[in-house]
Amino acid sequence: MITVTINGKKITLEKPVTILKAAEIAGIKIPTLCHHDMLEPYGGCRLCLVEIEKMPRLQTACTQHVTDGMVVWTETEKVVEARKGVLEFLLINHPLDCPYCDKAGECNLQDLVVKYGPATGRFAEGKRTHPESYDDPIIVRNMERCILCTRCVRMCDKVQGASAISITNRSSKSFVEPFSGGRYDCEYCGNCLTVCPVGAIMSRLHKHAYRPWLIEKEVDTVCSFCGVGCSLTLQVRGNSIVRAVPKPGKGLNKGLLCNRGRFGYDYVGSTDRLDSPLIRKDGKLERATWSEAFSYIANRLKKIKETYGSNSVAGIASGRCTNEDNYVFQKFMRVVLGTNNIDSVAGFAYAPAQKFFESIFGQGVTANPMHGIANSDGIFVIGGDPTSVNPVLGLQVRAAHQKGVPVITSGYMQGLKMFSSKSLIPNPFTETALLASLLTGLMKKRPFCGLNSAFEKIIRDIQPVEIKEAEEICGITSKDISYAIDTLSVMTNPSIIIGRDILQRAEGHTNLLLLAALIYLLNGRIYLLSELPNEQGLVDMGCLPDTLPGGRPVTVDIFRKRYEEFFGVEIPSRSGLSLMEMIDAAHANKIKAMYVMGEDVVSNVPNTKHIKDALSELDLLVVQDIFMTETANLADVVLPSLAWAEKEGSYTNLERRMQMLRKAVDGKGMDDWQAIAEISRMLGFDMDYKDSGDIISEIAKVSPLHKDISYKDMEDGECMWPYKGEPLRHGMSIEGIENSKFEIRNLKFEKYVRPERKKIYIGIDNPLFHAESLSRNSAALHSIAPEAYVRISKVLARELSIANGDYVTIATNSGSIELSAQIDSDLPENIVLIPNNFDGKGVFTVMNWKMNTVIKSPVMDFTEVLVRKATHVFKEATIKN
């Protein structure tokens, strides 16, 4: 134990900490400008100087550690004079325009000058000047106000890992600037805004728009953009969100945010929001009352069900809707309409991956705290760049690498380019052979643990792929593959991070098996990347064709009977259709009605024309959404919903952590669950919910996994799986895996040859500044990345005489689009990447798909494209399909 005395107050500590930290524990405030809890101690500003008995000079409290018996004084005359002198020096060049500055009211320097002075300045020289910079779309820089505390530089370098800014020049000409000057070449996370103690770096979105004392309320909630579920606080004035800010130390993000969470909230206040129900009359959508819309939907659904049967109706849920919305939706489909035709885009990758891994390792195997990534002894990433899909999770990978943890990546991952021990970028769609070669090599170095003899037998039966064979197929050198095997082989508890791309392959199911085998050999922890804020909630609430709430299989009588007894209604015993099967069934005129809640199917499912044709065949299409999406444009009825900041409810993140969603502003739409409950009442089944609390109470009764759960359990953000509930503990037998069309014993890797050089293929790019189709409605995010693009290799660009920014035509047998080119030297030469976040120019408008009959997800590889420079064709880069 260590005893230290600060200002006459004795403090007992278990381990050495800095004087600053010890004082904080004792409730004693020591001023500082360069220190921040998210950053390492720096000792640059000298404002935290304290007097320590038996030491001749003042010491910085942020760097000096306590020792047993130390006596510290923080407010002596000597200390106060020193602080006053430091502040006087800072004000030599700092402008005294506090009423004009947007930082007024929350400026650390302003507060300290009020407390310590100086009353007047003694320096007569003129202040330095530096023009205010508006080079950046969402950040404004005023370096005249900069006090060179280096908080922003340290945040960008050591925490964010972007290293986009630095202190340039020397002495009085020193400023914080991008290395190359002009606009920041950065990730626009805005975390520099969080740590800047003055008004040097500010948001352009809020310039002269508010003052802190004008904020009427602050609402703690979670972000709506991805599956991490970062905590943030919405500051509200009137009925408008003024800012979204993190709180240091709060939530799993610990004060960090990405660009989407910090700036992308503005879609909530968009003037393009739906504000009234619409009904199609004479081919046109016209405004209607809520009662008219509900009556129309109820009457049409009733007639279609009576005429064609329950299985002629299908429903698509959304990972942007709350657990409560999704629970009521699946209940409506099963109990009221009598069908298990319920799915969402979670069924494309997230849900089947989780289901397969749980079948081998047990339920909850993906429920791993995110901070475990930075604390693991190794990391393997495949199937997507976490810094783009789940940016704050990606920071955990960067933090681990900075601590010396080996990171192996497979695939194109720009965000981890500088944070990877070895980057393996295989030829397009040859990941299966790469995984098999890694497994083959690891089996020679790592013995089986013997915990699952049935699965070990399956692993032994997998056809080996030697390193030389993998080199020929994947185009990765034997040396690099060997390095990856050697690095992986010494890991004892690594983090395995898996994105959706690895599943959306012709051999996606085989990739799942190979990944499971690697995880088993390495004793790895699984992290599934999730593009939606409540993708896990879709799974847990039963928005799948074969799963009831709580993860119970609908086909097992004993589980289904529990729900039937609770609802008093018989539930279909057969699994329903997956989303892609629904599309095919609509094309075949077998699905007559489709209810879409919160999902833009046309934009977010491949082959836009095919999807539009399918939805046009329906007798009834109902869409609930907050914008007039491409799907809503095809609907017979459109119901305006509430946005994320207008709702009460809960999300379940990729860790399986349930978190509270709190209402910040009022909206003109209706809660998704409330609209469904009203239609249900008209169809003769009364869902008597007064608010979302009634729904979570019902979930706690009907779902064994969510037994006795309440909002109070979620308030502190520590409501982690299995909550208070009863997990479903079972594993898949060897016969079960072999009989599920995984074709274990007959894997043939010979067909994974290098794609022909003259053929170019198309892939999906996950941009950092956008998220699915929702971000296209954010003016802030659109200002950073305003237009669609195609990412092409340096080799292909040279062949086609394409320069950065040139427009190129991308054509497949599904259509063509013109996009500006972004040339990337790390991209394989025979693939082009296009994002799917821009209206009318997304990759899905030209991408084809096939059905993976094993995991029921779309296969999105081997779509051949023709690439040519727009307007004038210099050279064709491919043959037609």
Side-chain angles (χ1 to χ4, degrees):
M1 302 294 285
I2 300 171
T3 301
V4 60
T5 304
I6 304 180
N7 293 351
K9 184 176 183 179
K10 285 192 174 182
I11 306 156
T12 302
L13 303 165
E14 293 184 359
K15 60 181 180 179
V17 296
T18 63
I19 295 173
L20 186 66
K21 184 65 177 177
E24 182 185 334
I25 293 171
I28 297 170
K29 175 74 173 177
I30 297 178
T32 181
L33 283 173
C34 70
H35 179 80
H36 195 280
D37 288 340
M38 288 191 285
L39 307 175
E40 294 179 356
Y42 183 63
C45 71
R46 321 307 287 177
L47 274 168
C48 66
L49 289 170
V50 294
E51 191 169 355
I52 303 173
E53 289 188 2
K54 300 181 182 179
M55 281 194 177
R57 285 190 289 267
L58 301 181
Q59 302 293 320
T60 51
C62 66
T63 59
Q64 180 68 52
H65 281 67
V66 298
T67 59
D68 191 36
M70 179 181 280
V71 178
V72 181
W73 300 95
T74 70
E75 295 289 338
T76 65
E77 183 178 346
K78 186 177 179 181
V79 168
V80 171
E81 283 301 312
R83 290 175 185 160
K84 188 179 296 186
V86 170
L87 290 169
E88 187 175 6
F89 271 109
L90 289 176
L91 293 178
I92 291 173
N93 284 309
H94 194 88
L96 303 178
D97 61 351
C98 294
Y100 177 82
C101 178
D102 281 325
K103 197 72 173 182
E106 53 186 9
C107 174
N108 295 17
L109 179 62
Q110 186 182 47
D111 294 341
L112 290 173
V113 171
V114 168
K115 181 175 182 180
Y116 293 103
T120 60
R122 290 176 288 170
F123 290 86
E125 293 86 351
K127 295 180 183 291
R128 68 180 179 182
T129 59
H130 196 277
E132 198 169 26
S133 171
Y134 290 89
D135 291 336
D136 300 280
I138 55 174
I139 290 176
V140 57
R141 289 174 272 149
N142 189 330
M143 288 300 112
E144 291 180 359
R145 298 187 179 125
C146 179
I147 58 172
L148 295 177
C149 66
T150 73
R151 278 190 186 183
C152 58
V153 176
R154 288 178 285 144
M155 166 60 74
C156 190
D157 185 34
K158 299 297 184 183
V159 181
Q160 184 68 23
S163 300
I165 53 178
S166 180
I167 296 177
T168 61
N169 298 320
R170 303 179 68 180
S171 186
S172 63
K173 296 182 180 179
S174 297
F175 298 102
V176 174
E177 294 285 353
F179 288 119
S180 56
R183 176 173 169 165
Y184 281 173
D185 181 17
C186 77
E187 298 173 349
Y188 288 108
C189 61
N191 290 321
C192 54
L193 276 68
T194 297
V195 297
C196 182
V198 292
I201 304 177
M202 298 288 287
S203 167
R204 281 187 69 172
L205 307 181
H206 314 123
K207 187 170 176 62
H208 303 328
Y210 81 105
R211 285 292 182 267
W213 54 85
L214 297 177
I215 299 298
E216 295 173 358
K217 65 177 178 179
E218 293 189 336
V219 179
D220 293 336
T221 186
V222 293
C223 181
S224 68
F225 275 101
C226 83
V228 171
C230 292
S231 297
L232 51 79
T233 298
L234 298 179
Q235 297 179 333
V236 178
R237 185 184 182 197
N239 195 44
S240 299
I241 301 171
V242 176
R243 284 196 307 181
V245 295
K247 289 192 174 177
K250 183 178 176 61
L252 58 92
N253 48 311
K254 304 299 180 186
L256 297 172
L257 285 178
C258 72
N259 58 80
R260 302 188 296 242
R262 186 181 297 273
F263 301 112
Y265 64 84
D266 61 340
Y267 74 85
V268 175
S270 171
T271 55
D272 293 331
R273 288 278 304 276
L274 289 167
D275 60 3
S276 169
L278 304 172
I279 298 177
R280 191 171 296 279
K281 298 177 181 178
D282 298 324
K284 292 184 179 180
L285 286 169
E286 297 182 3
R287 296 172 73 91
T289 64
W290 285 99
S291 58
E292 287 174 337
F294 290 149
S295 297
Y296 184 91
I297 295 168
N299 292 334
R300 293 288 301 275
L301 284 174
K302 182 179 180 181
K303 185 175 181 180
I304 289 170
K305 180 183 175 183
E306 290 173 348
T307 305
Y308 302 103
S310 295
N311 281 331
S312 66
V313 183
I316 298 174
S318 171
R320 297 207 177 279
C321 294
T322 64
N323 286 318
E324 294 74 11
D325 293 329
N326 286 311
Y327 170 79
V328 172
F329 183 75
Q330 65 81 34
K331 178 181 176 181
F332 175 68
M333 298 303 297
R334 288 191 166 104
V335 174
V336 181
L337 298 180
T339 180
N340 284 321
N341 294 337
I342 312 157
D343 203 5
S344 68
V345 294
F348 284 4
Y350 189 89
Q354 185 175 89
K355 181 179 179 182
F356 182 75
F357 290 136
E358 289 189 340
S359 71
I360 295 171
F361 303 112
Q363 194 176 35
V365 69
T366 61
N368 295 304
M370 194 175 70
H371 62 74
I373 296 172
N375 297 325
S376 60
D377 68 348
I379 299 172
F380 179 58
V381 188
I382 189 169
D385 185 348
T387 63
S388 294
V389 180
N390 300 129
V392 172
L393 182 147
L395 296 187
Q396 294 285 313
V397 181
R398 290 179 175 178
H401 184 268
Q402 288 180 329
K403 291 193 299 184
V405 175
V407 178
I408 305 296
T409 61
S410 174
Y412 173 82
M413 298 181 193
Q414 279 294 89
L416 295 179
K417 181 179 179 181
M418 306 301 294
F419 302 89
S420 175
S421 308
K422 183 59 66 179
S423 177
L424 308 174
I425 304 180
N427 290 324
F429 322 123
T430 61
E431 298 97 338
T432 307
L434 175 61
L435 286 172
S437 69
L438 295 177
L439 179 62
T440 302
L442 284 172
M443 289 176 66
K444 297 174 182 178
K445 292 177 174 288
R446 293 281 290 257
F448 286 115
C449 62
L451 292 176
N452 190 333
S453 57
F455 189 50
E456 287 178 7
K457 185 177 187 299
I458 290 174
I459 296 173
R460 288 191 183 96
D461 287 339
I462 295 174
Q463 179 186 339
V465 173
E466 299 299 332
I467 292 175
K468 280 292 184 185
E469 186 180 358
E471 178 180 28
E472 181 183 349
I473 296 169
C474 302
I476 301 171
T477 66
S478 296
K479 181 180 178 181
D480 285 350
I481 298 175
S482 296
Y483 178 92
I485 292 170
D486 292 342
T487 304
L488 290 168
S489 68
V490 297
M491 297 178 183
T492 58
N493 189 23
S495 296
I496 313 296
I497 302 173
I498 303 168
R500 67 191 297 176
D501 291 355
I502 195 66
L503 273 76
Q504 294 174 336
R505 300 281 184 257
E507 297 298 328
H509 53 295
T510 304
N511 293 338
L512 269 179
L513 173 69
L514 293 169
L515 283 168
L518 285 171
I519 291 162
Y520 183 78
L521 277 174
L522 297 174
N523 186 35
R525 287 172 293 178
I526 306 170
Y527 295 87
L528 299 178
L529 298 181
S530 175
E531 297 185 25
L532 298 169
N534 200 31
E535 207 162 359
Q536 181 63 59
L538 287 169
V539 177
D540 290 347
M541 293 301 113
C543 290
L544 296 171
D546 58 355
T547 307
L548 294 163
R552 269 47 179 180
V554 73
T555 56
V556 178
D557 291 346
I558 191 172
F559 296 137
R560 192 178 64 259
K561 293 296 182 185
R562 174 191 176 104
Y563 295 86
E564 290 177 341
E565 289 173 6
F566 187 88
F567 295 129
V569 175
E570 193 171 309
I571 295 173
S573 59
R574 294 179 60 183
S575 296
L577 301 177
S578 69
L579 195 156
M580 304 312 291
E581 288 174 328
M582 293 178 196
I583 298 299
D584 284 342
H587 256 292
N589 213 22
K590 293 179 181 178
I591 293 292
K592 298 291 185 179
M594 187 175 289
Y595 202 123
V596 181
M597 181 185 72
E599 182 59 73
D600 187 1
V601 187
V602 174
S603 292
N604 298 325
V605 177
N607 198 333
T608 300
K609 183 179 183 303
H610 180 76
I611 305 302
K612 284 183 175 180
D613 290 345
L615 298 183
S616 299
E617 293 290 332
L618 296 168
D619 290 356
L620 175 66
L621 175 61
V622 181
V623 173
Q624 288 181 196
D625 216 312
I626 62 176
F627 288 101
M628 198 66 191
T629 63
E630 291 187 71
T631 307
N633 275 313
L634 300 175
D636 297 290
V637 186
V638 180
L639 301 178
S641 299
L642 294 178
W644 135 86
E646 300 161 349
K647 290 185 174 189
E648 298 281 348
S650 62
Y651 279 164
T652 307
N653 79 341
L654 56 82
E655 304 170 303
R656 304 192 81 164
R657 182 194 305 261
M658 296 186 75
Q659 300 184 99
M660 282 288 295
L661 208 67
R662 293 180 175 89
K663 180 178 178 179
V665 292
D666 294 323
K668 295 182 179 179
M670 185 178 290
D671 265 308
D672 289 289
W673 64 261
Q674 192 175 0
I676 293 165
E678 185 62 26
I679 297 166
S680 177
R681 183 187 64 77
M682 291 184 172
L683 288 170
F685 190 94
D686 193 8
M687 296 188 187
D688 188 20
Y689 305 125
K690 295 180 178 63
D691 53 34
S692 61
D694 287 347
I695 303 172
I696 202 71
S697 296
E698 181 173 306
I699 294 170
K701 294 174 184 175
V702 72
S703 167
L705 180 63
H706 301 91
K707 182 180 179 181
D708 297 332
I709 200 169
S710 68
Y711 285 149
K712 187 175 181 181
D713 298 314
M714 305 177 202
E715 285 179 354
D716 61 0
E718 297 300 324
C719 188
M720 296 285 288
W721 186 96
Y723 320 117
K724 303 174 183 178
E726 303 165 5
L728 181 61
R729 303 192 181 279
H730 73 283
M732 184 181 283
S733 66
I734 183 170
E735 294 82 9
I737 296 177
E738 289 182 326
N739 293 334
S740 64
K741 300 181 183 178
F742 274 79
E743 302 172 355
I744 307 304
R745 303 185 188 280
N746 299 306
L747 292 179
K748 300 294 183 184
F749 295 105
E750 294 86 356
K751 63 182 176 181
Y752 293 96
V753 297
R754 182 172 178 143
E756 296 179 40
R757 174 60 194 90
K758 63 181 179 180
K759 292 184 178 179
I760 308 299
Y761 300 95
I762 196 170
I764 304 170
D765 193 41
N766 291 308
L768 175 64
F769 304 118
H770 286 281
E772 217 187 25
S773 57
L774 181 64
S775 61
R776 66 180 59 159
N777 300 295
S778 166
L781 297 179
H782 209 67
S783 71
I784 306 173
E787 67 172 345
Y789 60 86
V790 56
R791 200 182 293 277
I792 66 176
S793 71
K794 194 173 182 178
V795 174
L796 182 60
R798 186 169 55 248
E799 288 184 8
L800 300 179
S801 300
I802 294 171
N804 226 16
D806 284 349
Y807 277 81
V808 296
T809 299
I810 304 294
T812 71
N813 60 4
S814 296
S816 66
I817 48 178
E818 283 193 2
L819 304 167
S820 65
Q822 291 187 5
I823 300 171
D824 196 317
S825 58
D826 296 318
L827 196 65
E829 60 191 66
N830 55 340
I831 191 168
V832 297
L833 299 180
I834 301 172
N836 195 56
N837 312 96
F838 297 90
D839 193 11
K841 290 193 173 183
V843 65
F844 287 163
T845 61
V846 293
M847 178 177 274
N848 301 318
W849 60 273
K850 298 177 183 176
M851 176 74 78
N852 185 313
T853 57
V854 181
I855 56 178
K856 303 290 183 68
S857 66
V859 174
M860 292 186 273
D861 52 13
F862 291 105
T863 295
E864 299 173 26
V865 298
L866 181 144
V867 182
R868 63 173 179 259
K869 199 167 183 177
T871 308
H872 302 289
V873 180
F874 286 88
K875 179 181 178 182
E876 290 192 351
T878 183
I879 60 173
K880 294 183 179 180
N881 279 358

